Amino acid sequence: SPQPLRRSDRELAAFSASAECALPLEELPLAFPPSYAYREGKGDGTPPDEAGWCDLLASKRCPAWCDRVLMDRTGGALVAASAVTAEYGHEPQPRVLTDHNQVYLAFSVESR
């Protein structure tokens, strides 16, 4: 698990607490690896070891969750009222297309 990186992920909290933010933003808990410049692991589906998260620094940028689904409280209430358990995750992308992974939030709302 990328917990050492997660402890440094404070940008959203700082922004939401700032005077520049008209509405506080929130997101579901992050339970997936960083979406940018993460180490892919051994190719067999197992994640990299704890020490491996920051060894991919060719661009001199540490892996981060820079692709996120943020919402205001109204959006958060819609997700909380979902008829199915909301799923917040990432989908690995081929490196030839991008160095970011696709991030998604899936939930269901009832129409009236």
Side-chain angles (χ1 to χ4, degrees):
S1 135
Q3 286 307 314
L5 293 174
R6 189 69 184 107
R7 286 191 295 270
S8 297
D9 180 43
R10 295 181 230 147
E11 188 173 14
L12 177 59
F15 176 74
S16 289
S18 75
E20 298 170 19
C21 183
L23 295 171
L25 299 174
E26 56 188 62
E27 72 180 320
L28 294 181
L30 290 168
F32 52 89
S35 58
Y36 172 75
Y38 68 101
R39 185 171 173 218
E40 294 180 350
K42 302 170 189 149
D44 61 0
T46 59
D49 58 31
E50 193 80 9
W53 284 104
C54 277
D55 71 352
L56 181 60
L57 295 176
S59 64
K60 299 186 181 181
R61 289 182 251 168
C62 195
W65 289 270
C66 51
D67 305 282
R68 303 170 95 140
V69 177
L70 304 177
M71 62 200 106
D72 63 11
R73 288 193 178 121
T74 302
L78 279 173
V79 172
S82 176
V84 298
T85 302
E87 184 180 344
Y88 186 31
H90 82 291
E91 183 68 33
Q93 301 297 302
R95 290 283 176 214
V96 295
L97 298 177
T98 181
D99 57 357
H100 291 252
N101 281 322
Q102 178 180 337
V103 173
Y104 65 88
L105 172 60
F107 64 101
S108 175
V109 291
E110 269 187 52
S111 62
R112 295 180 196 198

